[in-house]
Amino acid sequence: MDPSPETGADRGRPAPASSGRVAIDVLSAIALPVLIAGGIFLAPFLRDPTQMPFGADTVGYVWRSSVVQADGVSALEDVVRSLGARPLQPVVAAIFLGSTEQAALVWAIVSPAVLAAIIALAAGAVATDGLGEHRRRSLVYGVGVGSSAFVAWTAYAYAANLTLDPMALGLVLVASLVAFGSARRLAGVLLLLGAALAHYLFAVVIVGLLLLFGVLLLAAERRFRGPDRPPDGAARRVLTMLGAGVAAAVGGIALSPQLPTRVPTISVEGPFTQLKTSSRLPQMALWATVPLAALGGWLRIRTGTSMTRWMTALLLVWASMAPISVLAWYVLEVPLPPYRWAAFALPVPLLVVAAALALGEPLRRSGVAIGKIAAGALAAVVAGALAAAGAAVWWNAGSEIDRAMFAELGTVANYARTIPAETPVVLVTRRNQPTETPDRILAALPADVIERFSVLPTAVDRTRDDLGIQAPEGAAILWISTLGQPEPLPGVGLGPGVVLVAGPPPGEPVVPGELPRAPPAGRLVLLASFALIGLGVAGSGWAGLAGVPAIGRIALAPTFGLALLGSLGTLGSRLGIPFTRLGSLGLVLVTAAAGWVVDLGLRRSRGGERAVPPRRITGSPV
């Protein structure tokens, strides 16, 4: 087979490419995956601007983003359920909010599309710069992974996990490239730092995967002979990268507003977890995708080169989390909810696409035009099926956020700003509210007034003058229609659905809160594009540490942007840099400039870590 000069794995000196070929590669590897994956996740809000962001936990992420943007990351230190040990997501959100001066709800609308596009780009880079596929095949890999139900269910409620996903893909790629001498260990260190700040629990899983990878490489160096033996020093490079990455991660977590104190507990018998499992697993179709992923991995190992085989083995170990979580949940009754852990197994859809391409290879090699068309169609159908499942999840998900509640709480917040700042404000709800509801209500309040509020579930006694409400003396007591009390309580109306039951009258007319809505379609697309380009700019220099060709560097730049902008943003906020427009844009530019300085400095430095010329890996031209 003739080597393809445009495969990411061929990191010698690629043959000159025509501008037309480069344009097609950029279209396939960058533009189309972003448009398709991002478009799927942005479509519901383009179609209906009154649609609220999806996911029951989203309102909490909205509040965290708002409070960090207003008061810095330190504001999460002593707040219950603030997830202060996972600061990267709200910091990146705060930088977006500060740069654009948008409401936090806008980031909740835009971020799933932006992160799905980044995952699509990272998946394409894994396939081309790691597995040796032709650059144009990035399209089916990016669409198949970035638009899949695996990503859609993560986007539905787990913003921190979704932020970590592209860094996990990038770490698998970088670890493989480090092992085979074409990436700098610093790249993996920085990605691991970002992953730990995004979600420390899943970062520990990634550390375990990379540790196993390094140990297997060490054993192979000592025992293997022939083409499957990794290059000398492969294990040492991976393990030293991992050790430095863990040290950096520990340092980053020490800078976080809160330290990890416990592993979240989930009841196997809990009704909500049972419902989530039964409703989310079918769209991932693990009964089909896991066997196909195993087939794709086997075919890549059987026909690939040394680096391809080793990287595929690492992807297969990661993919095994999907069936392991199902077995642990249903058979062993171990609390590893498959709706969460299977969704994290992104190599499953990636290797499903690899299986489709490998099965179509004999048709492509036949030399008959119809065979090449059939091979391309097979890959397109498989990637399209994965994307269709993700679109079905996302477009039918619906929101659990009440628009009216946001408007009513806006009225309440405007009232609170007119009374003395020391006055506590109590929101009355029905007695049988779920235990997590008060947190979600408070999370919907603006950051500048939230500390004054509390939620009081109570049974109202209308025969008593005080209605049976046991509120602090002098508190302002309010009823709003969306909090579950069946009838309005007596008092002074402040706006639609809001009654002041007791407390100081407003010092000035109260402005009613507005029903939130997405920006107009054109502006929403511009905001999503701004966020993606901003992350790409921030990571453009750092992505050079991965040692991949220019298109691969562009594809990986937003992933490195997430890791570095989130990490440096956390540090900057702890040092007092505000997330204003100037501060936020300054962080983006400083992160970008630092990346280019480090990359160019290491390239020119004779004493720095030098990349070892890798073994050539042949690709399969389309």
Side-chain angles (χ1 to χ4, degrees):
M1 184 186 301
D2 294 332
S4 169
E6 294 300 310
T7 59
D10 180 11
R11 280 168 286 277
R13 293 184 177 272
S18 67
S19 59
R21 286 180 58 197
V22 171
I24 292 173
D25 286 352
V26 170
L27 188 68
S28 302
I30 307 296
L32 288 178
V34 166
L35 288 173
I36 295 171
I40 285 175
F41 285 85
L42 207 58
F45 310 100
L46 296 174
R47 183 173 60 246
D48 179 10
T50 67
Q51 176 67 66
M52 295 292 281
F54 302 153
D57 293 339
T58 300
V59 68
Y61 286 106
V62 168
W63 171 75
R64 291 178 197 104
S65 303
S66 177
V67 76
V68 169
Q69 193 273 322
D71 299 322
V73 74
S74 297
L76 301 178
E77 283 182 345
D78 300 317
V79 183
V80 178
R81 293 173 63 88
S82 73
L83 302 185
R86 309 175 195 173
L88 190 136
Q89 184 275 333
V91 165
V92 171
I95 291 171
F96 170 83
L97 300 179
S99 301
T100 60
E101 297 183 347
Q102 294 292 314
L105 272 174
V106 175
W107 176 249
I109 290 171
V110 164
S111 58
V114 173
L115 292 169
I118 296 174
I119 290 169
L121 292 175
V126 167
T128 56
D129 298 305
L131 296 180
E133 294 279 18
H134 193 279
R135 186 68 64 184
R136 295 173 198 175
R137 293 185 170 183
S138 296
L139 175 58
V140 287
Y141 280 101
V143 171
V145 178
S147 306
S148 67
F150 294 74
V151 171
W153 277 125
T154 304
Y156 181 71
Y158 306 114
N161 290 66
L162 191 68
T163 307
L164 173 136
D165 279 351
M167 290 181 273
L169 287 169
L171 274 164
V172 167
L173 172 60
V174 167
S176 302
L177 296 177
V178 164
F180 282 76
S182 55
R184 296 187 182 275
R185 283 168 272 195
L186 180 59
V189 171
L190 296 174
L191 288 177
L192 192 53
L193 168 62
L197 292 178
H199 201 305
Y200 62 86
L201 183 59
F202 283 85
V204 170
V205 175
I206 298 169
V207 168
L209 290 173
L210 297 183
L211 179 61
L212 177 62
F213 184 54
V215 170
L216 292 177
L217 285 170
L218 182 62
E221 286 182 45
R222 295 179 176 180
R223 295 178 178 272
F224 284 14
R225 296 291 182 269
D228 286 333
R229 184 181 184 276
D232 292 339
R236 175 181 54 81
R237 288 190 291 273
V238 170
L239 292 174
T240 54
M241 179 199 79
L242 184 59
V246 169
V250 170
I253 291 174
L255 272 176
S256 300
Q258 295 175 336
L259 298 178
T261 56
R262 65 184 181 89
V263 176
T265 56
I266 298 175
S267 171
V268 176
E269 301 297 331
F272 289 108
T273 52
Q274 293 287 355
L275 177 62
K276 289 177 181 178
T277 302
S278 61
S279 62
R280 298 180 184 183
L281 282 187
Q283 287 89 350
M284 298 182 209
L286 298 182
W287 59 271
T289 54
V290 168
L292 285 172
L295 175 63
W298 177 73
L299 290 172
R300 293 302 302 174
I301 289 174
R302 181 171 173 269
T303 60
T305 59
S306 180
M307 177 176 161
T308 302
R309 293 178 180 181
W310 278 101
M311 184 173 179
T312 302
L314 179 56
L315 290 170
L316 283 170
V317 174
W318 183 4
S320 69
M321 291 179 60
I324 287 173
S325 65
V326 172
L327 176 66
W329 183 265
Y330 286 107
V331 179
L332 303 178
E333 297 188 355
V334 175
L336 293 177
Y339 64 83
R340 190 86 175 265
W341 290 94
F344 179 59
L346 295 182
V348 171
L350 189 146
L351 291 173
V352 168
V353 175
L357 288 166
L359 292 173
E361 192 66 16
L363 294 172
R364 192 198 63 79
R365 291 182 183 177
S366 66
V368 180
I370 191 66
K372 294 182 178 180
I373 294 173
L378 176 61
V381 166
V382 169
L386 290 166
V393 168
W394 194 247
W395 293 349
N396 295 309
S399 177
E400 299 182 33
I401 300 176
D402 192 332
R403 280 184 86 213
M405 185 181 78
F406 266 80
E408 292 171 357
L409 288 173
T411 302
V412 168
N414 290 336
Y415 159 75
R417 296 183 182 109
T418 72
I419 62 176
E422 66 274 9
T423 305
V425 184
V426 176
L427 301 176
V428 177
T429 71
R430 69 181 187 272
R431 180 178 290 279
N432 59 343
Q433 286 279 12
T435 55
E436 72 276 8
T437 299
D439 286 333
R440 292 177 180 173
I441 294 168
L442 293 177
L445 286 164
D448 63 319
V449 298
I450 191 171
E451 291 185 357
R452 300 166 58 186
F453 279 79
S454 61
V455 175
L456 180 62
T458 188
V460 173
D461 184 354
R462 295 177 184 269
T463 65
R464 296 174 54 175
D465 291 340
D466 63 1
L467 301 176
I469 299 173
Q470 304 297 317
E473 184 177 355
I477 303 172
L478 296 113
W479 170 91
I480 69 175
S481 68
T482 54
L483 292 191
Q485 288 292 344
E487 297 179 10
L489 299 183
V492 178
L494 299 179
V498 180
V499 173
L500 175 62
V501 178
E508 59 186 67
V510 175
V511 178
E514 297 181 354
L515 288 171
R517 59 185 291 124
R523 183 168 178 78
L524 195 60
V525 171
L526 285 176
L527 288 169
S529 302
F530 173 82
L532 181 60
I533 292 171
L535 288 168
V537 169
S540 57
W542 301 102
L545 301 175
V548 296
I551 297 178
R553 181 171 181 160
I554 295 171
L556 288 174
T559 295
F560 278 89
L562 275 175
L564 271 299
L565 192 58
S567 302
L568 294 178
T570 300
L571 175 61
S573 182
R574 299 292 267 180
L575 294 175
I577 297 175
F579 293 118
T580 58
R581 172 166 285 186
L582 180 61
S584 298
L585 292 175
L587 280 169
V588 173
L589 295 178
V590 168
T591 302
W596 282 102
V597 168
V598 170
D599 181 41
L600 294 175
L602 289 176
R603 288 173 183 269
R604 294 175 180 177
S605 173
R606 295 181 178 180
E609 178 187 348
R610 301 181 60 85
V612 179
R615 303 178 184 182
R616 175 180 290 268
I617 299 177
T618 59
S620 303
V622 174

